[in-house]
Amino acid sequence: MKIFNTLSRRKEEFVPLEAGKVKMYVCGPTVYNFIHIGNARPMIVFDTVRRYFEYKGYDVNFVSNFTDVDDKIIKKAIEEGVDSRVISERYIEECKKDMAAMNVKPATTHPLATQEIGGMLEMIQTLIDKGHAYAAKDGTVYFRTKSFKDYGKLSHKNLEDLQSGFREIKVTGEEGKEDSADFVLWKPKKEGEPFWESPWCNGRPGWHIECSVMSKKYLGEQIDIHAGGEDLIFPHHENEIAQSEAANGKQFATYWMHNAFLNIDNRKMSKSLGNFFTVREISEKYDLQVLRFFMLSAHYRSPLNFSADLMEASKNGLERILTCMEKLRGLEARAGEKEKTQVEKEALEAMKVLTAKYEAAMEDDFNTADAISALFEMVKLANTSAGEESSKAFVTAVREELDGLCQVLGILTEKKEEALDSQIEEMIAARQQARKDKNFALADEIRGKLLEMGIILEDTREGVKWKRA
Ligand code: AMP
Ligand code: ZN
Protein backbone atom coordinates (compact mmCIF):
# COMPACT_ATOMS: atom_id res chain seq x y z
CA MET A 1 0.00 0.00 0.00
CA LYS A 2 1.45 3.34 -1.00
CA ILE A 3 0.83 6.60 0.83
CA PHE A 4 1.98 10.06 -0.20
CA ASN A 5 3.96 11.34 2.75
CA THR A 6 4.11 15.13 3.12
CA LEU A 7 7.40 14.68 5.03
CA SER A 8 9.25 13.19 2.05
CA ARG A 9 6.90 14.55 -0.64
CA ARG A 10 6.89 11.07 -2.13
CA LYS A 11 4.66 8.04 -2.21
CA GLU A 12 6.01 5.51 0.25
CA GLU A 13 5.16 1.90 0.99
CA PHE A 14 3.06 1.67 4.14
CA VAL A 15 4.90 -0.20 6.91
CA PRO A 16 3.06 -0.12 10.25
CA LEU A 17 4.96 0.30 13.52
CA GLU A 18 3.25 -2.84 14.78
CA ALA A 19 2.16 -5.59 12.40
CA GLY A 20 -1.58 -5.59 11.73
CA LYS A 21 -2.21 -2.32 13.56
CA VAL A 22 -2.67 1.27 12.48
CA LYS A 23 -2.40 4.16 14.90
CA MET A 24 -3.93 7.20 13.33
CA TYR A 25 -4.61 10.76 14.52
CA VAL A 26 -6.71 13.28 12.61
CA CYS A 27 -6.93 16.91 13.75
CA GLY A 28 -10.57 17.68 14.37
CA PRO A 29 -12.59 20.87 14.17
CA THR A 30 -12.77 23.86 16.47
CA VAL A 31 -16.32 23.76 17.74
CA TYR A 32 -17.87 27.21 17.65
CA ASN A 33 -20.38 26.73 14.85
CA PHE A 34 -21.89 24.16 12.52
CA ILE A 35 -19.19 22.50 10.40
CA HIS A 36 -19.03 23.49 6.74
CA ILE A 37 -18.52 21.07 3.88
CA GLY A 38 -14.82 22.06 3.66
CA ASN A 39 -14.40 20.67 7.18
CA ALA A 40 -16.30 17.58 6.04
CA ARG A 41 -13.67 16.75 3.43
CA PRO A 42 -10.97 15.51 5.87
CA MET A 43 -13.64 13.72 7.88
CA ILE A 44 -14.88 11.78 4.87
CA VAL A 45 -11.45 11.23 3.33
CA PHE A 46 -9.76 9.90 6.46
CA ASP A 47 -12.80 7.85 7.46
CA THR A 48 -12.44 6.16 4.07
CA VAL A 49 -8.71 5.60 4.68
CA ARG A 50 -9.61 4.02 8.01
CA ARG A 51 -12.29 1.85 6.41
CA TYR A 52 -9.87 0.60 3.76
CA PHE A 53 -7.31 -0.41 6.41
CA GLU A 54 -10.09 -2.23 8.25
CA TYR A 55 -11.18 -3.94 5.03
CA LYS A 56 -7.57 -5.16 4.69
CA GLY A 57 -7.80 -6.64 8.18
CA TYR A 58 -5.90 -3.98 10.15
CA ASP A 59 -6.94 -3.07 13.64
CA VAL A 60 -7.22 0.72 13.49
CA ASN A 61 -6.97 2.94 16.54
CA PHE A 62 -8.39 6.23 15.25
CA VAL A 63 -8.18 9.35 17.40
CA SER A 64 -9.67 12.71 16.48
CA ASN A 65 -9.95 15.68 18.83
CA PHE A 66 -12.39 18.49 19.28
CA THR A 67 -10.72 21.83 20.01
CA ASP A 68 -13.06 23.14 22.68
CA VAL A 69 -11.09 26.11 23.99
CA ASP A 70 -10.19 28.80 21.50
CA ASP A 71 -10.63 32.54 20.80
CA LYS A 72 -13.57 31.97 18.47
CA ILE A 73 -15.45 29.84 20.99
CA ILE A 74 -14.85 32.43 23.70
CA LYS A 75 -16.00 35.24 21.41
CA LYS A 76 -19.22 33.40 20.59
CA ALA A 77 -19.83 32.64 24.29
CA ILE A 78 -19.46 36.32 25.13
CA GLU A 79 -21.87 37.26 22.32
CA GLU A 80 -24.48 34.83 23.63
CA GLY A 81 -23.74 35.62 27.26
CA VAL A 82 -23.11 31.98 28.16
CA ASP A 83 -20.21 29.88 29.40
CA SER A 84 -17.88 28.79 26.61
CA ARG A 85 -18.64 25.17 27.54
CA VAL A 86 -22.23 25.71 26.46
CA ILE A 87 -20.99 26.67 22.99
CA SER A 88 -18.47 23.85 22.60
CA GLU A 89 -20.83 21.16 23.91
CA ARG A 90 -23.60 22.34 21.61
CA TYR A 91 -21.44 22.23 18.48
CA ILE A 92 -19.76 18.95 19.38
CA GLU A 93 -23.23 17.41 19.47
CA GLU A 94 -24.17 19.03 16.17
CA CYS A 95 -20.91 17.91 14.61
CA LYS A 96 -21.49 14.33 15.74
CA LYS A 97 -24.95 14.42 14.15
CA ASP A 98 -23.45 15.60 10.85
CA MET A 99 -20.78 12.92 11.04
CA ALA A 100 -23.38 10.21 11.61
CA ALA A 101 -25.44 11.49 8.68
CA MET A 102 -22.34 11.39 6.43
CA ASN A 103 -21.70 7.86 7.68
CA VAL A 104 -18.39 8.90 9.22
CA LYS A 105 -17.63 6.40 11.95
CA PRO A 106 -17.10 7.78 15.45
CA ALA A 107 -13.39 7.77 16.32
CA THR A 108 -12.08 5.19 18.75
CA THR A 109 -11.55 8.21 21.00
CA HIS A 110 -12.69 11.83 20.57
CA PRO A 111 -10.63 13.67 23.21
CA LEU A 112 -11.44 17.23 24.25
CA ALA A 113 -8.71 19.82 24.80
CA THR A 114 -10.26 21.03 28.07
CA GLN A 115 -10.12 17.52 29.52
CA GLU A 116 -6.42 17.12 28.85
CA ILE A 117 -4.91 20.20 30.50
CA GLY A 118 -2.95 18.10 33.03
CA GLY A 119 -1.11 16.29 30.24
CA MET A 120 -0.39 19.60 28.52
CA LEU A 121 1.14 21.08 31.70
CA GLU A 122 3.31 17.99 31.99
CA MET A 123 4.57 18.14 28.41
CA ILE A 124 5.25 21.88 28.66
CA GLN A 125 7.25 21.28 31.85
CA THR A 126 9.26 18.53 30.11
CA LEU A 127 10.01 20.91 27.25
CA ILE A 128 11.18 23.59 29.71
CA ASP A 129 13.32 21.05 31.60
CA LYS A 130 14.97 19.96 28.37
CA GLY A 131 15.69 23.52 27.29
CA HIS A 132 13.15 23.48 24.45
CA ALA A 133 10.81 26.02 26.03
CA TYR A 134 10.96 29.02 28.33
CA ALA A 135 8.58 31.18 30.33
CA ALA A 136 8.60 34.93 29.63
CA LYS A 137 8.07 37.50 32.37
CA ASP A 138 4.32 37.68 31.86
CA GLY A 139 3.99 33.90 32.26
CA THR A 140 3.66 33.10 28.57
CA VAL A 141 5.55 29.92 27.71
CA TYR A 142 7.16 29.75 24.27
CA PHE A 143 8.68 26.89 22.34
CA ARG A 144 12.33 27.66 21.55
CA THR A 145 12.22 26.91 17.84
CA LYS A 146 15.98 27.18 17.38
CA SER A 147 16.52 24.34 19.84
CA PHE A 148 14.84 21.85 17.52
CA LYS A 149 17.15 21.26 14.60
CA ASP A 150 14.53 19.61 12.40
CA TYR A 151 12.15 22.59 12.56
CA GLY A 152 10.69 23.06 9.08
CA LYS A 153 11.08 19.45 7.92
CA LEU A 154 7.38 18.91 7.26
CA SER A 155 6.56 22.18 5.53
CA HIS A 156 9.98 22.23 3.86
CA LYS A 157 10.67 25.71 5.14
CA ASN A 158 13.96 26.85 6.52
CA LEU A 159 14.16 28.51 9.87
CA GLU A 160 16.08 31.55 8.67
CA ASP A 161 13.45 32.40 6.07
CA LEU A 162 10.78 31.92 8.69
CA GLN A 163 12.54 34.21 11.12
CA SER A 164 12.85 37.03 8.62
CA GLY A 165 9.22 36.50 7.59
CA PHE A 166 8.01 36.63 11.17
CA ARG A 167 10.05 39.73 11.95
CA GLU A 168 7.76 41.71 9.70
CA ILE A 169 4.71 40.68 11.68
CA LYS A 170 4.93 41.94 15.22
CA VAL A 171 2.26 40.52 17.50
CA THR A 172 1.44 42.64 20.50
CA GLY A 173 1.63 40.72 23.72
CA GLU A 174 4.40 38.53 22.41
CA GLU A 175 7.29 40.87 23.20
CA GLY A 176 8.80 38.30 25.57
CA LYS A 177 9.79 36.02 22.69
CA GLU A 178 13.48 35.21 22.35
CA ASP A 179 13.06 34.65 18.65
CA SER A 180 10.44 35.70 16.14
CA ALA A 181 9.78 32.08 15.07
CA ASP A 182 9.03 30.84 18.61
CA PHE A 183 5.44 29.86 19.25
CA VAL A 184 3.13 29.84 22.25
CA LEU A 185 2.62 26.78 24.44
CA TRP A 186 0.79 28.50 27.28
CA LYS A 187 -0.62 32.01 27.56
CA PRO A 188 -1.93 34.20 30.39
CA LYS A 189 -5.68 34.50 30.77
CA LYS A 190 -7.53 37.60 29.74
CA GLU A 191 -10.49 39.09 31.56
CA GLY A 192 -13.59 36.92 31.23
CA GLU A 193 -11.80 33.96 29.65
CA PRO A 194 -11.70 30.39 30.94
CA PHE A 195 -8.39 29.59 32.59
CA TRP A 196 -6.43 26.92 34.43
CA GLU A 197 -3.74 27.24 37.06
CA SER A 198 -0.18 26.50 36.02
CA PRO A 199 3.34 27.03 37.42
CA TRP A 200 3.76 29.96 35.00
CA CYS A 201 0.49 31.85 35.20
CA ASN A 202 -3.26 31.32 35.28
CA GLY A 203 -4.03 30.84 31.65
CA ARG A 204 -4.78 28.48 28.82
CA PRO A 205 -2.88 26.38 26.29
CA GLY A 206 -1.76 27.43 22.84
CA TRP A 207 -3.53 25.49 20.09
CA HIS A 208 -0.73 23.15 18.98
CA ILE A 209 0.09 21.47 22.28
CA GLU A 210 -3.24 19.67 22.59
CA CYS A 211 -2.67 17.34 19.63
CA SER A 212 0.85 16.37 20.77
CA VAL A 213 -0.54 15.50 24.18
CA MET A 214 -3.68 13.66 23.09
CA SER A 215 -1.86 11.70 20.44
CA LYS A 216 0.69 10.54 23.03
CA LYS A 217 -1.96 9.69 25.61
CA TYR A 218 -4.27 7.70 23.36
CA LEU A 219 -1.86 6.28 20.79
CA GLY A 220 1.62 6.38 22.33
CA GLU A 221 4.77 8.39 21.56
CA GLN A 222 4.99 7.09 18.01
CA ILE A 223 2.10 6.76 15.59
CA ASP A 224 1.68 5.58 12.02
CA ILE A 225 -0.39 8.32 10.43
CA HIS A 226 -1.13 11.92 11.33
CA ALA A 227 -3.60 13.70 9.09
CA GLY A 228 -5.61 16.83 8.40
CA GLY A 229 -6.29 19.47 5.78
CA GLU A 230 -3.29 20.96 3.97
CA ASP A 231 -3.69 24.30 5.74
CA LEU A 232 -2.54 22.50 8.88
CA ILE A 233 0.91 21.64 7.51
CA PHE A 234 2.24 24.97 8.68
CA PRO A 235 2.32 26.01 11.42
CA HIS A 236 0.11 23.49 13.23
CA HIS A 237 1.68 20.18 12.22
CA GLU A 238 5.21 21.61 12.04
CA ASN A 239 4.76 22.75 15.64
CA GLU A 240 3.26 19.44 16.72
CA ILE A 241 6.36 17.66 15.40
CA ALA A 242 8.65 20.09 17.23
CA GLN A 243 6.78 19.64 20.54
CA SER A 244 6.40 15.85 20.35
CA GLU A 245 9.85 15.00 19.06
CA ALA A 246 11.60 17.45 21.41
CA ALA A 247 9.66 16.11 24.42
CA ASN A 248 9.76 12.39 23.59
CA GLY A 249 13.08 12.15 21.76
CA LYS A 250 11.49 9.95 19.05
CA GLN A 251 10.05 10.37 15.60
CA PHE A 252 6.39 11.34 16.07
CA ALA A 253 4.42 10.09 13.04
CA THR A 254 5.75 7.96 10.20
CA TYR A 255 3.32 9.26 7.56
CA TRP A 256 1.78 12.73 7.28
CA MET A 257 -1.31 12.88 5.07
CA HIS A 258 -3.00 16.09 3.95
CA ASN A 259 -6.16 16.61 1.94
CA ALA A 260 -6.41 19.45 -0.56
CA PHE A 261 -9.08 22.09 -0.20
CA LEU A 262 -12.69 21.98 -1.09
CA ASN A 263 -13.10 25.16 -3.09
CA ILE A 264 -15.96 27.24 -4.28
CA ASP A 265 -15.39 29.37 -7.37
CA ASN A 266 -11.77 28.20 -7.13
CA ARG A 267 -11.26 29.68 -3.68
CA LYS A 268 -10.91 27.75 -0.45
CA MET A 269 -14.23 27.40 1.29
CA SER A 270 -13.79 28.96 4.72
CA LYS A 271 -15.66 30.56 7.55
CA SER A 272 -13.55 33.69 7.37
CA LEU A 273 -14.24 34.30 3.67
CA GLY A 274 -17.93 33.64 4.25
CA ASN A 275 -18.12 31.49 1.09
CA PHE A 276 -19.32 28.32 2.77
CA PHE A 277 -22.24 25.93 2.99
CA THR A 278 -22.75 24.06 6.21
CA VAL A 279 -23.23 20.31 6.09
CA ARG A 280 -26.65 20.94 7.61
CA GLU A 281 -27.64 23.24 4.73
CA ILE A 282 -26.59 20.65 2.17
CA SER A 283 -28.58 17.99 4.02
CA GLU A 284 -31.77 19.94 3.31
CA LYS A 285 -31.24 19.43 -0.39
CA TYR A 286 -29.40 16.12 -0.64
CA ASP A 287 -29.02 12.88 1.20
CA LEU A 288 -25.55 13.33 2.72
CA GLN A 289 -24.46 10.10 1.06
CA VAL A 290 -24.42 12.18 -2.12
CA LEU A 291 -22.04 14.65 -0.47
CA ARG A 292 -19.84 11.76 0.62
CA PHE A 293 -19.84 10.26 -2.87
CA PHE A 294 -19.04 13.69 -4.33
CA MET A 295 -16.03 14.12 -2.01
CA LEU A 296 -14.67 10.71 -2.95
CA SER A 297 -15.11 11.32 -6.67
CA ALA A 298 -11.80 13.23 -6.65
CA HIS A 299 -8.42 12.17 -5.32
CA TYR A 300 -7.97 13.58 -1.83
CA ARG A 301 -4.83 15.51 -2.80
CA SER A 302 -6.55 17.29 -5.68
CA PRO A 303 -8.48 20.49 -5.08
CA LEU A 304 -12.19 19.92 -5.54
CA ASN A 305 -14.56 22.60 -6.68
CA PHE A 306 -18.04 22.45 -5.21
CA SER A 307 -20.82 22.98 -7.73
CA ALA A 308 -24.47 22.07 -8.20
CA ASP A 309 -23.60 20.26 -11.46
CA LEU A 310 -21.04 18.03 -9.79
CA MET A 311 -23.44 17.28 -6.96
CA GLU A 312 -26.11 16.30 -9.50
CA ALA A 313 -23.61 14.06 -11.29
CA SER A 314 -22.71 12.43 -7.96
CA LYS A 315 -26.37 11.94 -7.16
CA ASN A 316 -26.92 10.16 -10.47
CA GLY A 317 -23.80 8.04 -10.06
CA LEU A 318 -24.79 6.99 -6.59
CA GLU A 319 -28.30 6.15 -7.78
CA ARG A 320 -26.88 3.85 -10.44
CA ILE A 321 -25.10 1.87 -7.72
CA LEU A 322 -28.07 1.81 -5.35
CA THR A 323 -30.50 0.74 -8.10
CA CYS A 324 -28.21 -2.13 -9.02
CA MET A 325 -27.99 -3.21 -5.37
CA GLU A 326 -31.75 -3.11 -5.02
CA LYS A 327 -32.12 -5.22 -8.13
CA LEU A 328 -29.59 -7.76 -6.80
CA ARG A 329 -31.43 -7.97 -3.48
CA GLY A 330 -34.71 -8.61 -5.27
CA LEU A 331 -33.16 -11.31 -7.44
CA GLU A 332 -31.47 -12.86 -4.43
CA ALA A 333 -34.80 -13.22 -2.65
CA ARG A 334 -36.41 -14.93 -5.64
CA ALA A 335 -33.47 -16.93 -7.06
CA GLY A 336 -33.45 -20.71 -6.94
CA GLU A 337 -30.85 -22.87 -5.24
CA LYS A 338 -28.91 -24.37 -8.13
CA GLU A 339 -25.36 -24.86 -9.30
CA LYS A 340 -23.57 -21.86 -10.78
CA THR A 341 -23.40 -22.03 -14.54
CA GLN A 342 -20.18 -21.75 -16.50
CA VAL A 343 -21.18 -18.26 -17.63
CA GLU A 344 -21.77 -17.23 -14.03
CA LYS A 345 -18.39 -18.58 -13.00
CA GLU A 346 -16.76 -16.54 -15.72
CA ALA A 347 -18.66 -13.43 -14.65
CA LEU A 348 -17.40 -13.93 -11.10
CA GLU A 349 -13.86 -14.20 -12.41
CA ALA A 350 -14.34 -10.92 -14.24
CA MET A 351 -15.68 -9.42 -10.99
CA LYS A 352 -12.51 -10.52 -9.19
CA VAL A 353 -10.39 -8.75 -11.77
CA LEU A 354 -12.37 -5.57 -11.16
CA THR A 355 -12.07 -5.95 -7.38
CA ALA A 356 -8.31 -6.17 -7.88
CA LYS A 357 -8.50 -2.99 -9.94
CA TYR A 358 -10.45 -1.27 -7.18
CA GLU A 359 -7.92 -2.38 -4.56
CA ALA A 360 -4.97 -1.34 -6.71
CA ALA A 361 -6.49 2.15 -6.97
CA MET A 362 -7.01 2.36 -3.21
CA GLU A 363 -3.49 1.11 -2.60
CA ASP A 364 -2.08 3.79 -4.83
CA ASP A 365 -2.41 6.53 -2.22
CA PHE A 366 -6.17 6.01 -1.82
CA ASN A 367 -7.22 6.93 -5.31
CA THR A 368 -10.95 6.81 -4.64
CA ALA A 369 -11.71 8.35 -8.04
CA ASP A 370 -10.26 5.32 -9.84
CA ALA A 371 -11.74 2.94 -7.29
CA ILE A 372 -15.19 4.38 -8.06
CA SER A 373 -14.58 3.84 -11.80
CA ALA A 374 -13.85 0.17 -11.10
CA LEU A 375 -17.02 0.02 -9.01
CA PHE A 376 -19.06 1.39 -11.92
CA GLU A 377 -17.60 -1.29 -14.20
CA MET A 378 -18.69 -3.88 -11.65
CA VAL A 379 -22.18 -2.42 -11.53
CA LYS A 380 -22.38 -2.65 -15.30
CA LEU A 381 -21.23 -6.25 -15.22
CA ALA A 382 -23.72 -7.08 -12.44
CA ASN A 383 -26.55 -5.48 -14.40
CA THR A 384 -25.79 -7.47 -17.53
CA SER A 385 -24.96 -10.81 -15.92
CA ALA A 386 -27.56 -11.18 -13.17
CA GLY A 387 -31.20 -11.87 -14.07
CA GLU A 388 -34.27 -13.91 -13.18
CA GLU A 389 -32.56 -17.09 -14.35
CA SER A 390 -29.46 -16.60 -12.17
CA SER A 391 -28.54 -18.97 -9.38
CA LYS A 392 -28.83 -17.69 -5.84
CA ALA A 393 -25.16 -18.48 -5.17
CA PHE A 394 -24.15 -16.25 -8.06
CA VAL A 395 -26.37 -13.31 -7.13
CA THR A 396 -25.29 -13.50 -3.49
CA ALA A 397 -21.61 -13.54 -4.44
CA VAL A 398 -22.01 -10.50 -6.68
CA ARG A 399 -24.09 -8.62 -4.13
CA GLU A 400 -21.66 -9.35 -1.28
CA GLU A 401 -18.68 -8.26 -3.35
CA LEU A 402 -20.30 -4.96 -4.25
CA ASP A 403 -21.56 -4.41 -0.71
CA GLY A 404 -18.07 -4.87 0.72
CA LEU A 405 -16.55 -2.34 -1.68
CA CYS A 406 -19.35 0.18 -1.08
CA GLN A 407 -18.78 -0.18 2.64
CA VAL A 408 -15.15 0.87 2.23
CA LEU A 409 -16.37 4.11 0.64
CA GLY A 410 -18.93 4.44 3.43
CA ILE A 411 -21.85 4.09 1.03
CA LEU A 412 -24.86 2.41 2.59
CA THR A 413 -26.60 0.23 0.05
CA GLU A 414 -29.76 -0.35 2.02
CA LYS A 415 -31.63 1.35 4.79
CA LYS A 416 -30.27 0.37 8.16
CA GLU A 417 -32.67 -1.84 10.06
CA GLU A 418 -34.29 0.33 12.63
CA ALA A 419 -33.36 -0.62 16.17
CA LEU A 420 -36.27 -1.29 18.47
CA ASP A 421 -37.17 1.41 20.95
CA SER A 422 -36.74 -1.03 23.84
CA GLN A 423 -33.20 -1.87 22.75
CA ILE A 424 -32.31 1.82 22.57
CA GLU A 425 -33.81 2.54 26.00
CA GLU A 426 -31.77 -0.31 27.45
CA MET A 427 -28.55 1.10 25.99
CA ILE A 428 -29.37 4.57 27.30
CA ALA A 429 -29.95 3.15 30.78
CA ALA A 430 -26.59 1.37 30.61
CA ARG A 431 -24.94 4.66 29.62
CA GLN A 432 -26.58 6.49 32.54
CA GLN A 433 -25.31 3.81 34.90
CA ALA A 434 -21.80 4.10 33.44
CA ARG A 435 -21.90 7.84 33.98
CA LYS A 436 -23.02 7.33 37.59
CA ASP A 437 -20.10 4.97 38.05
CA LYS A 438 -17.85 7.64 36.52
CA ASN A 439 -16.93 5.18 33.80
CA PHE A 440 -16.96 7.88 31.13
CA ALA A 441 -15.07 5.77 28.61
CA LEU A 442 -17.88 3.19 28.65
CA ALA A 443 -20.54 5.92 28.57
CA ASP A 444 -18.86 7.44 25.50
CA GLU A 445 -18.59 4.05 23.87
CA ILE A 446 -22.31 3.42 24.29
CA ARG A 447 -23.09 6.87 22.95
CA GLY A 448 -20.84 6.10 19.96
CA LYS A 449 -22.65 2.82 19.31
CA LEU A 450 -26.00 4.57 19.44
CA LEU A 451 -24.74 7.19 17.00
CA GLU A 452 -23.64 4.44 14.65
CA MET A 453 -27.20 3.13 14.84
CA GLY A 454 -28.40 6.63 13.91
CA ILE A 455 -29.62 7.47 17.40
CA ILE A 456 -28.93 10.94 18.71
CA LEU A 457 -28.94 11.64 22.43
CA GLU A 458 -29.69 14.93 24.06
CA ASP A 459 -28.95 15.48 27.74
CA THR A 460 -31.68 17.78 28.95
CA ARG A 461 -32.79 18.97 32.35
CA GLU A 462 -35.61 16.45 32.28
CA GLY A 463 -33.20 13.62 31.53
CA VAL A 464 -31.90 11.98 28.39
CA LYS A 465 -33.96 12.36 25.23
CA TRP A 466 -33.29 10.54 22.01
CA LYS A 467 -34.29 10.68 18.40
CA ARG A 468 -33.44 9.00 15.12
CA ALA A 469 -31.08 10.91 12.79
P1 AMP B 1 -10.75 24.03 11.50
O1 AMP B 1 -11.97 23.88 12.33
O2 AMP B 1 -10.68 25.27 10.68
O3 AMP B 1 -9.49 23.79 12.30
O4 AMP B 1 -10.77 22.86 10.40
C1 AMP B 1 -10.95 21.50 10.68
C2 AMP B 1 -10.39 20.67 9.55
O5 AMP B 1 -11.03 21.03 8.30
C3 AMP B 1 -8.90 20.86 9.31
O6 AMP B 1 -8.32 19.60 8.99
C4 AMP B 1 -8.84 21.78 8.10
O7 AMP B 1 -7.65 21.63 7.38
C5 AMP B 1 -10.03 21.29 7.31
N1 AMP B 1 -10.56 22.28 6.35
C6 AMP B 1 -11.03 23.52 6.62
N2 AMP B 1 -11.46 24.13 5.47
C7 AMP B 1 -11.27 23.25 4.47
C8 AMP B 1 -11.54 23.27 3.06
N3 AMP B 1 -12.10 24.32 2.44
N4 AMP B 1 -11.22 22.18 2.33
C9 AMP B 1 -10.67 21.09 2.91
N5 AMP B 1 -10.39 21.01 4.23
C10 AMP B 1 -10.70 22.06 5.02
ZN1 ZN C 1 -3.80 19.00 15.52
Side-chain angles (χ1 to χ4, degrees), residues 27-30 32 36-42 72 207 227-232 259-263 268-270:
C27 294
T30 306
Y32 65 103
H36 63 69
I37 57 175
N39 302 133
R41 190 169 189 194
K72 291 177 237 126
W207 170 35
E230 67 181 14
D231 53 339
L232 299 188
N259 64 274
F261 291 142
L262 176 78
N263 292 331
K268 179 193 173 192
M269 183 177 286
S270 77

Side-chain angles (χ1 to χ4, degrees), residues 356-404:
K357 198 168 163 183
Y358 174 105
E359 290 184 2
M362 291 300 278
E363 291 184 17
D364 181 16
D365 191 30
F366 303 97
N367 192 336
T368 50
D370 285 0
I372 288 173
S373 302
L375 196 60
F376 278 136
E377 285 185 68
M378 292 173 92
V379 164
K380 202 165 151 196
L381 181 62
N383 281 335
T384 50
S385 58
E388 295 299 338
E389 293 306 309
S390 302
S391 70
K392 192 179 179 103
F394 173 69
V395 181
T396 302
V398 173
R399 202 257 314 140
E400 281 179 351
E401 193 65 30
L402 279 170
D403 250 343

Side-chain angles (χ1 to χ4, degrees), residues 187-201:
K187 55 187 168 191
K189 70 164 191 152
K190 289 195 196 124
E191 196 50 42
E193 288 186 357
F195 69 92
W196 290 265
E197 287 177 4
S198 86
W200 317 290
C201 63

Side-chain angles (χ1 to χ4, degrees), residues 27 211 236 240:
C27 294
C211 292
H236 186 51
E240 280 190 40

